[in-house]
């Protein structure tokens, strides 16, 4: 065992099983005797082949009791994963302590959250969240102590140090103490009280001597308190009488507080205090500055759980008031031990029930009237993931001693000297949201701007007004969303959203520029003008693009149309170009003299013309009929028109739309052969002038 902790001085009178019994039974016996270092290898051997719940539970507990946190973490982890539903809350808590000691605090909290969720304990699950946030706030202070591992420390246990008359008086398990007898909880020697001159500490523990051979016995002695006048010493010892141990009904040698008087240069008249009992332990006494009050730890019935802190008034002549529990502000259902009262009666103590970094941490409860304020964790690096305890302050200074079994020490429990370098100010993580309000157009500062800070649900948290320099500031929590709204008469309101992170004391810029309402109207008018101008410009561009597209489409269509026409001309032998005209050639179309009706052979000659018109519905055709000069001009013009109409009618009868046909009678006005008189031309010339022409005037 490492120190006066829980039942640190317990002795149990149970004999070991006879040789030849199974290792598991022998390990169980060692475990019951609290010979944990002897039980561990036997349980480990058994666990190689069969990891029963019983074996793993005892193995995890043995490692935990001997402060082997890697081993405890391993086996508690196995327990919770394989037998989680059948474990007690205390086992989960020990697993959490083990994880914290291994610097796995987040994993410890997640494991506990999961456990409390499974057992539907929302209150404790909520407390885990609060504890985690609280420790972050403590951790944020940083290292508030300079600490030094003392040279007198060894691989064994040294703890509970204080300065008395130029000596460092402390508790230790020396290799030379109590003969060869070992305390088989951890296979170390039993504890005694030693002292060494303060100016010789740097020489190691070789000069340490027993504080008193009358006080030190073959059993455990340790944790003590000296009265202000130096004449009365209170110390903890196993229950004994005349040097022989005494046990309770369960064969447990509990702890008691004893008193010794300094008489004739030595400690005499050693007696136990009247509120001791064979059935429970009293341990770790501390005295108030005036010596009239004692605070101690006890697991007596009626407490809140495990060890609680109690107080008694010292009345003199061996009389004390009845012990009074310090109540739920100080005590929890876990362990509260190693109390220390400073000159102002502030109470320091160690606990694994208040929010800590792992196992026992040191806490301070400030004196308030006749009671105490809620305890606070005193912070890093005094507290660690392991047991930190026996904290005391030298009167009138910021220095003192504490003890710890942290892994980077010299051995088991070590004594550390400390100096306070920072005050204990525990604050929630906070940041600033700040900035400057300006005119968006002129950049001028805008003092007296109304500002509101809104929370995640839109609730107003704070209000302020920008100062003469147009600046503002809000103090806010970390990792939270906020909205800052700014409002000023004559200006359009504005806002800025901010989400804070985990960086303490950092600043978030929420500067804003406000637009004046006059400027807004001015800009609206300008924007409207620009909008109209832009609309006109876009319309013009669109119209131009449309025209260009139409031109391009028309040109393409015309090109394609011309190509189609040329292709058709190439295929149709009856399509012929004559100078600047495109005509459809047919055999001669004859009419009887002075008549306009189509003759039968003429109708047959129009068959090819009709086919071409049907195959090319875009053709607009002019039927031009001509006469010779014989007869008068009006007559000839009328006759030719009738002949043209006759051809048109025939074409319409054969399915050609009327709007595609232009019937034009030219009479004698467009001769092929010009005849000055009737007799000037031959009959062949007159016949050549009498003709019917089919001219394509348009081809869509």
């Amino acid at each position: 065992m490492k120190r006066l902790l829980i039942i640190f001085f317990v002795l149990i009178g149970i004999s070991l099983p006879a040789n030849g019994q199974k290792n598991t039974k022998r390990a169980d016996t060692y475990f019951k005797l609290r010979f944990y270092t002897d039980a561990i290898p036997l349980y480990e051997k058994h666990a190689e082949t069969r990891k029963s719940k019983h074996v793993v539970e005892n193995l995890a507990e043995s490692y935990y009791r001997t402060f082997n946190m890697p081993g405890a973490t391993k086996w508690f982890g196995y327990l919770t994963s394989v037998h989680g539903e059948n474990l007690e809350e205390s086992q989960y808590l020990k697993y959490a302590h083990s994880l914290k000691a291994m610097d796995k605090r987040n994993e410890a909290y997640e494991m506990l959250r999961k456990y409390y969720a499974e057992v539907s304990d929302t209150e404790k699950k909520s407390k885990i969240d609060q504890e985690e946030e609280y420790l972050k706030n403590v951790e944020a202070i940083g290292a508030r102590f300079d600490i030094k591992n003392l040279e007198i420390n060894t691989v064994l246990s040294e703890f509970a140090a204080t300065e008395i008359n130029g000596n460092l008086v402390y508790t230790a398990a020396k290799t030379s103490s109590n003969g060869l007898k070992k305390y088989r909880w951890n296979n170390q020697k039993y504890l005694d009280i030693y002292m060494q001159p303060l100016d010789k500490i740097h020489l190691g523990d070789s000069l340490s001597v027993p504080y008193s051979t009358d006080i030190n016995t073959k059993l455990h002695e340790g944790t003590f308190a000296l009265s202000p006048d130096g004449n009365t010493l209170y110390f903890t010892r196993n229950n004994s009488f005349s040097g022989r141990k005494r046990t309770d009904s369960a064969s447990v040698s509990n702890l008691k507080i004893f008193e010794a008087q300094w008489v004739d240069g030595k400690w005499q008249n050693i007696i136990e205090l009247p509120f001791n009992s064979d059935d429970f332990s009293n341990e770790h006494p501390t005295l108030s500055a005036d010596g009239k009050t004692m605070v101690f730890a006890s697991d007596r019935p009626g407490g809140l759980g495990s060890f609680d802190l109690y107080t008694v008034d010292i009345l003199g002549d061996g009389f004390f008031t009845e012990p009074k529990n310090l109540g739920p502000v100080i005590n929890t259902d876990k362990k509260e031990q190693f109390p220390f009262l400073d000159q102002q009666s502030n109470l320091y103590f160690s606990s694994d029930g208040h929010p800590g970094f792992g196992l026992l941490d040191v806490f301070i409860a400030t004196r308030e009237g006749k009671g105490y304020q809620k305890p606070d964790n005193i912070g890093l690096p005094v507290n660690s993931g392991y047991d930190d305890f026996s904290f005391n302050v030298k009167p009138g200074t910021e220095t003192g001693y504490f003890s710890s079994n942290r892994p980077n020490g010299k051995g088991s429990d070590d004594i550390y000297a400390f100096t306070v370098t920072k005050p204990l100010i525990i604050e929630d993580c906070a940041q600033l949201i700040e900035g400057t309000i300006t005119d968006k157009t002129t950049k001028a500062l805008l003092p007296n701007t109304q500002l509101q800070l809104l929370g995640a649900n839109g609730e107003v948290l704070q209000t302020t007004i920008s100062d003469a320099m147009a600046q503002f500031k809000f103090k806010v929590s970390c990792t939270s969303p906020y909205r800052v709204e700014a409002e000023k008469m004559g200006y359009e309101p504005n806002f800025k959203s901010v989400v804070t992170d985990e960086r303490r004391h950092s600043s978030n810029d929420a500067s804003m520029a406000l637009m004046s309402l006059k400027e807004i109207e001015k800009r609206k008018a300008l924007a409207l003008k620009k909008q109209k101008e832009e609309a006109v410009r876009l319309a013009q561009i669109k119209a131009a693009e449309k025209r260009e597209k139409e031109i391009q489409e028309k040109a393409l269509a015309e090109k394609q149309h011309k190509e189609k026409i040329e292709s058709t001309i190439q295929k149709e032998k009856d399509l012929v170009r004559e100078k600047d005209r495109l005509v459809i050639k047919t055999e001669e179309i004859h009419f009887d003299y002075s008549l306009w009706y189509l003759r039968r052979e003429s109708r047959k000659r129009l068959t090819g013309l009709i086919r071409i018109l049907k195959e090319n519905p875009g053709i607009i055709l002019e039927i031009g009929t001509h006469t010779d000069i014989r007869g008068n001009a009006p007559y000839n013009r009328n006759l030719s028109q009738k002949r043209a109409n006759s051809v048109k009618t025939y074409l319409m009868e054969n399915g050609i739309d009327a709007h595609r046909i232009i019937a034009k009678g030219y009479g004698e006005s467009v001769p092929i052969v010009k005849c000055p008189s009737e007799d000037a031309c031959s009959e062949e010339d007159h016949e050549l002038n009498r003709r019917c022409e089919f001219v394509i005037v348009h081809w869509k």
Side-chain angles (χ1 to χ4, degrees):
M1 183 57 193
K2 290 184 176 269
R3 59 190 161 278
L4 293 154
L5 175 62
I6 310 177
I7 49 174
F8 194 47
F9 302 142
V10 172
L11 294 171
I12 306 178
I14 302 177
S15 60
L16 294 176
N19 291 334
Q21 293 206 357
K22 293 182 180 179
N23 285 343
T24 304
K25 186 175 181 181
R26 188 152 54 97
D28 288 344
T29 303
Y30 285 149
F31 184 83
K32 188 175 182 181
L33 289 167
R34 294 174 174 82
F35 296 172
Y36 300 117
T37 54
D38 294 325
I40 286 173
L42 298 177
Y43 282 134
E44 282 281 7
K45 184 68 177 176
H46 186 82
E48 291 177 1
T49 57
R50 185 169 179 268
K51 297 178 179 64
S52 67
K53 180 173 179 287
H54 169 74
V55 167
V56 175
E57 279 183 322
N58 286 2
L59 185 55
E61 184 72 16
S62 296
Y63 276 125
Y64 185 81
R65 293 284 186 171
T66 55
F67 302 97
N68 184 324
M69 293 299 109
T73 300
K74 172 184 175 181
W75 292 111
F76 276 125
Y78 180 87
L79 267 181
T80 56
S81 62
V82 177
H83 303 287
E85 295 181 357
N86 300 315
L87 298 182
E88 297 178 358
E89 179 187 19
S90 61
Q91 292 170 302
Y92 280 94
L93 293 174
K94 289 174 182 177
Y95 182 30
H97 284 152
S98 305
L99 288 170
K100 285 184 178 182
M102 298 297 292
D103 199 26
K104 297 180 179 180
R105 198 163 81 232
N106 291 338
E107 187 176 336
Y109 285 133
E110 286 305 311
M111 180 272 297
L112 288 177
R113 285 191 187 94
K114 182 179 179 181
Y115 167 71
Y116 287 128
E118 289 175 350
V119 299
S120 301
D121 195 332
T122 56
E123 182 178 353
K124 287 186 178 178
K125 184 173 180 292
S126 177
K127 285 183 178 179
I128 292 297
D129 297 335
Q130 295 169 13
E131 177 175 321
E132 185 175 27
E133 190 64 29
Y134 174 83
L135 289 180
K136 286 181 181 178
N137 294 338
V138 174
E139 202 169 29
I141 302 172
R144 57 180 301 262
F145 301 89
D146 285 337
I147 66 172
K148 178 187 177 183
N149 188 296
L150 296 188
E151 291 85 347
I152 63 170
N153 291 317
T154 69
V155 295
L156 302 177
S157 288
E158 293 84 22
F159 63 98
T162 189
E163 295 181 8
I164 299 176
N165 299 327
N167 292 297
L168 186 72
V169 183
Y170 64 100
T171 299
K174 299 291 185 186
T175 56
S176 60
S177 65
N178 298 320
L180 299 176
K181 192 173 183 181
K182 289 184 178 180
Y183 182 55
R184 293 181 66 182
W185 182 307
N186 58 1
N187 278 340
Q188 290 192 19
K189 293 288 187 176
Y190 279 83
L191 298 166
D192 282 325
I193 303 174
Y194 292 85
M195 67 178 180
Q196 182 163 324
L198 287 168
D199 58 358
K200 305 296 183 183
I201 296 298
H202 64 285
L203 299 177
D205 75 325
S206 60
L207 298 179
S208 290
V209 297
Y211 183 63
S212 169
T213 56
D214 295 307
I215 289 177
N216 292 339
T217 67
K218 294 180 180 180
L219 303 179
H220 284 302
E221 284 83 28
T223 58
F224 51 86
L226 186 64
S227 63
D229 61 11
N231 292 326
T232 304
L233 183 74
Y234 299 97
F235 63 94
T236 310
R237 174 189 284 171
N238 279 117
N239 183 12
S240 62
F241 180 76
S242 297
R244 297 174 62 87
K245 68 180 179 182
R246 301 174 71 177
T247 61
D248 61 12
S249 58
S251 298
V252 175
S253 179
N254 286 302
L255 304 177
K256 291 186 175 183
I257 300 175
F258 288 77
E259 174 187 310
Q261 298 293 325
W262 184 254
V263 179
D264 297 330
K266 66 177 184 178
W267 293 109
Q268 302 183 50
N269 305 326
I270 299 174
I271 60 172
E272 67 171 272
L273 300 190
F275 49 82
N276 286 324
S277 172
D278 294 339
D279 298 322
F280 53 81
S281 289
N282 294 320
E283 60 186 20
H284 313 157
T286 184
L287 298 176
S288 60
D290 60 9
K292 295 181 179 180
T293 301
M294 176 189 292
V295 175
F296 62 96
S298 177
D299 62 350
R300 62 182 54 225
L304 277 70
S306 188
F307 278 83
D308 284 355
L309 298 186
Y310 290 81
T311 181
V312 294
D313 293 335
I314 301 174
L315 304 177
D317 296 326
F319 290 97
F320 299 82
T321 58
E322 283 296 318
K324 179 182 178 182
N325 191 296
L326 289 183
V329 172
I330 301 297
N331 294 315
T332 68
D333 59 349
K334 307 300 186 302
K335 294 177 293 187
E336 281 71 44
Q337 296 173 296
F338 299 98
F340 170 75
L341 292 169
D342 67 10
Q343 291 294 100
Q344 292 74 40
S345 291
N346 299 315
L347 176 64
Y348 292 87
F349 64 97
S350 291
S351 171
D352 63 359
H354 292 285
F357 293 99
L359 298 179
L360 288 176
D361 271 14
V362 180
F363 295 83
I364 179 175
T366 304
R367 187 73 176 182
E368 185 177 50
K370 294 183 179 181
Y372 295 97
Q373 294 181 1
K374 183 179 178 181
D376 274 318
N377 190 298
I378 66 169
L380 306 172
V382 165
N383 287 327
S384 68
Y386 282 72
D387 279 338
D388 308 295
F389 57 100
S390 291
F391 184 94
N392 68 82
V393 183
K394 288 188 284 187
T397 74
E398 292 289 307
T399 63
Y401 302 95
F402 75 99
S403 302
S404 178
N405 65 345
R406 61 193 63 189
N408 57 354
K410 293 181 180 178
S412 183
D413 300 316
D414 283 353
I415 299 169
Y416 292 80
F418 71 81
T419 301
V420 178
T421 59
K422 288 183 181 179
L424 181 61
I425 301 175
I426 302 174
E427 298 177 313
D428 289 336
C429 181
Q431 295 184 3
L432 292 177
I433 295 178
E434 54 188 342
T436 304
I437 307 299
T438 57
D439 186 296
K440 190 170 186 177
T441 307
T442 66
K443 312 302 180 186
L445 299 176
L446 296 179
N448 300 318
T449 300
Q450 302 285 335
L451 292 125
Q452 287 191 137
L453 178 71
L454 279 64
N457 298 318
E459 70 278 20
V460 177
L461 303 177
Q462 300 178 48
T463 61
T464 190
I465 299 174
S466 61
D467 60 20
M469 296 303 295
Q471 296 176 342
F472 68 93
K473 184 183 298 183
F474 293 112
K475 185 176 181 181
V476 296
S477 299
C478 298
T479 61
S480 300
Y482 295 97
R483 175 183 167 111
V484 181
E485 295 183 346
E487 188 174 322
K488 186 175 179 65
M489 185 174 294
Y491 286 83
E492 183 180 52
N494 198 1
F495 73 92
K496 198 163 192 178
S497 295
V498 176
V499 179
T500 56
D501 55 26
E502 293 183 344
R503 296 173 301 156
R504 292 171 182 262
H505 310 302
S506 64
S507 176
N508 301 272
D509 183 28
S511 296
M512 283 179 273
L514 305 185
M515 181 80 74
S516 71
L517 297 180
K518 290 182 179 179
E519 182 65 22
I520 291 173
E521 291 302 318
K522 177 181 175 182
R523 293 192 180 193
K524 282 183 179 179
L526 181 61
L528 183 60
K529 179 181 177 183
K530 287 184 177 181
Q531 184 180 2
K532 290 180 178 179
E533 291 174 349
E534 182 67 9
V536 171
R537 187 183 73 83
L538 292 175
Q540 291 172 342
I541 292 173
K542 188 174 182 180
E545 290 174 346
K546 182 179 179 182
R547 289 194 298 271
E548 180 64 24
K549 183 178 180 181
E550 289 173 347
I551 291 171
Q552 291 176 355
E553 289 175 347
K554 183 177 180 181
L556 178 61
E558 288 178 353
K559 179 183 177 182
Q560 293 173 343
H561 182 57
K562 287 179 180 180
E563 290 174 350
K564 182 178 179 182
I565 291 173
E566 289 302 321
S567 176
T568 304
I569 292 172
Q570 293 298 322
K571 291 188 297 182
E572 294 287 346
K573 63 182 180 62
D574 293 336
L575 286 172
V576 179
R577 291 188 184 280
E578 291 183 351
K579 295 182 181 180
D580 59 348
R581 300 188 309 165
L582 182 61
V583 299
I584 301 175
K585 288 292 187 178
T586 64
E587 292 185 61
E588 292 291 336
I589 304 300
H590 296 291
F591 296 93
D592 291 334
Y593 180 76
S594 294
L595 296 176
W596 53 87
Y597 301 109
L598 277 175
R599 294 164 60 176
R600 180 175 297 176
E601 70 274 9
S602 295
R603 293 184 179 188
K604 289 181 179 180
R605 292 171 181 174
L606 291 175
T607 302
L609 173 68
I610 293 170
R611 178 185 62 78
I612 291 173
L613 290 175
K614 286 185 176 181
E615 291 178 356
N616 299 277
I619 291 177
I620 305 297
L621 186 71
E622 178 186 278
I623 303 171
T625 55
H626 302 268
T627 66
D628 56 28
I629 64 170
R630 290 177 293 192
N632 61 59
Y635 174 81
N636 287 336
R637 187 166 52 253
N638 183 49
L639 177 62
S640 64
Q641 184 63 49
K642 288 180 179 180
R643 288 176 175 174
N645 291 342
S646 178
V647 175
K648 178 177 180 180
T649 299
Y650 180 74
L651 294 180
M652 291 170 58
E653 290 173 352
N654 283 272
I656 307 303
D657 290 339
H659 71 275
R660 296 178 59 198
I661 307 169
I662 301 172
K664 179 82 171 175
Y666 287 94
E668 59 188 63
S669 63
V670 188
I672 294 176
V673 180
K674 292 185 179 181
C675 299
S677 64
E678 292 182 10
D679 296 332
C681 289
S682 65
E683 185 61 34
E684 288 81 5
D685 292 333
H686 288 304
E687 185 176 348
L688 188 60
N689 285 334
R690 294 193 303 272
R691 66 194 186 277
C692 182
E693 296 177 330
F694 300 100
V695 181
I696 297 175
V697 295
H698 186 65
W699 197 334
K700 296 180 181 178

